[in-house]
Amino acid sequence: MDAVETWVDWTPVFRLLLVGTLLAAGPLLWVWLRHRGATPMQRLRALTALTLFLTFDLVLFGAFTRLTDSGLGCPDWPGCYGAASPIGARADIAAAQAAMPTGPVTWSKAWIEMIHRYLATAVGGLILVMAVVSTLERRRGPTPVVWAWLTLAWVCLQGAFGAWTVTMKLFPAIVTLHLLGGMVLLALLRWQNVRWADPALRDDSPPALRAALVGLLALVALQIALGGWVSTNYAVLACRDFPTCQGQWWPQMDFARGFELWRELGQQGSGDALPFAALTAIHYTHRLAAYVVLLALAAVGLWQWRCGQRERAWWLWGLGAWQLVTGLSNVVLEWPLIAAVAHTGGAAALVVVLSGWLAQPTRRRPGLEGSPTVARLAAEGQA
């Protein structure tokens, strides 16, 4: 019988899943050992908080991967030249580095890229466990089953965007969507984390203030998208002075080409090189939007202060100051790695903080007031 042609080599996929499973086993074992005397729901609550923390770290490491130009450290997916790690691909990596010493493929960049993939797979495994356990524990009381499975579906989509980031050679629109997907994943996990903490939690903020928080979160999301567009197009250094840009308050800018979404990195849709005026437009739009976001953070924080929510106000003002300092550092210090990663971290922290506040219901869930389940869960949260 003739040999059947192999269209897809699944070996790297299975190897990546094995590594991710081994990495996910560590946090799962830690939660089990630390909460040996706890109920399954308490363990699930702890696992949700730990997964949120690890996902935040993953977003930061993703920024580190992008900012060190390691996104194509292994130019195939999911393995590295078909191997499970750079160790098995050392001959291919050496050949690529010899052909282009400062190119996208080097030994260190390959490891950075693969570590990012390992961590992402491990987080996906933890989210899968959360979804399964949430379903199994539903008979014991209300659990966020829909949110858990939605989060699992989203992390799978996020993995697909990670693959497209590599296979489409850092296509700016795909890389930016991958960044936004990470922020959405943080918001989904934070939502579950808050709902697990206390099912009867109540937020007494005025409806108008909660509406303002929704608007603020939308504004932050837009600014993150603009920031991702700046980073993925390498437009950070298009303006190296502040508060002016290139010594002008309104430099020459090409918005049409700068915000042409579907195009290759460094190119226009026509295939011609992207002009510098387009990079300037990308950078300056993000800077102008930053002023609006900072004013909104200050205004909503003041509103919270007057409503007696002083701790929340300090969180908004503190994160706003953090973003201002790290953003300015990227410009005047010419994009140092630590400032760039810290800037992404501040944006992620804003998403976690705002989505956490909005996750708190404005009133007790219908039918749960005074129920034995709510009383038991509240007692477990205090135990």
Side-chain angles (χ1 to χ4, degrees), residues 93-375:
I93 295 172
Q97 189 170 355
M100 191 180 297
T102 59
V105 179
T106 66
W107 185 253
S108 60
K109 290 179 180 179
W111 271 112
I112 291 172
E113 169 63 11
M114 287 307 298
I115 289 173
H116 181 238
R117 297 184 195 179
Y118 297 152
L119 295 177
T121 306
V123 166
L126 293 175
I127 292 174
L128 173 61
V129 172
M130 287 170 49
V132 172
V133 176
S134 293
T135 303
L136 295 176
E137 289 300 313
R138 191 171 189 179
R139 67 182 183 277
R140 299 175 181 266
T143 62
V145 175
V146 174
W147 288 101
W149 286 99
L150 176 61
T151 305
L152 178 62
W154 189 266
V155 79
C156 291
L157 178 63
Q158 182 70 351
F161 272 100
W164 294 330
T165 295
V166 176
T167 58
M168 297 182 70
K169 309 303 179 185
L170 305 183
F171 201 86
I174 296 298
V175 178
T176 302
L177 287 173
H178 191 47
L179 171 65
L180 289 173
M183 298 298 175
V184 172
L185 184 60
L186 282 174
L188 288 170
L189 288 169
R190 178 57 175 161
W191 188 279
Q192 294 170 77
N193 172 242
V194 170
R195 289 304 178 97
W196 266 116
D198 184 359
L201 190 65
R202 176 171 180 159
D203 180 20
D204 293 325
S205 299
L209 178 55
R210 284 183 65 90
L213 289 174
V214 172
L216 181 59
L217 181 58
L219 192 60
V220 167
L222 174 62
Q223 180 66 348
I224 291 173
L226 290 173
W229 195 243
V230 170
S231 179
T232 56
N233 283 281
Y234 297 89
V236 175
L237 299 181
C239 299
R240 302 191 181 197
D241 50 330
F242 183 86
T244 58
C245 175
Q246 301 167 15
Q248 305 175 60
W249 287 105
W250 194 260
Q252 182 181 358
M253 292 179 281
D254 188 340
F255 291 96
R257 291 182 174 86
F259 289 94
E260 185 179 9
L261 300 182
W262 203 252
R263 54 175 175 76
E264 299 286 343
L265 177 62
Q267 299 180 8
Q268 305 175 42
S270 62
D272 297 329
L274 196 66
F276 188 72
L279 298 178
T280 304
I282 294 171
H283 179 112
Y284 211 61
T285 300
H286 179 61
R287 184 183 293 189
L288 294 175
Y291 300 145
V292 178
V293 173
L294 289 173
L295 286 174
L297 288 170
V300 174
L302 182 60
W303 193 348
Q304 290 175 321
W305 184 277
R306 291 178 175 174
C307 290
Q309 301 174 353
R310 298 193 172 187
E311 183 178 350
R312 290 188 175 189
W314 280 118
W315 269 106
L316 286 189
W317 293 338
L319 288 173
W322 178 272
Q323 289 303 86
L324 176 62
V325 170
T326 55
L328 284 178
S329 298
N330 283 326
V331 175
V332 300
L333 299 179
E334 298 192 351
W335 207 17
L337 179 60
I338 187 171
V341 174
H343 198 55
T344 301
L350 275 171
V351 170
V352 170
V353 167
L354 290 171
S355 58
W357 292 339
L358 290 172
Q360 298 178 8
T362 56
R363 58 184 177 81
R364 295 181 183 272
R365 299 180 190 177
L368 292 181
E369 293 86 343
S371 70
T373 300
V374 169

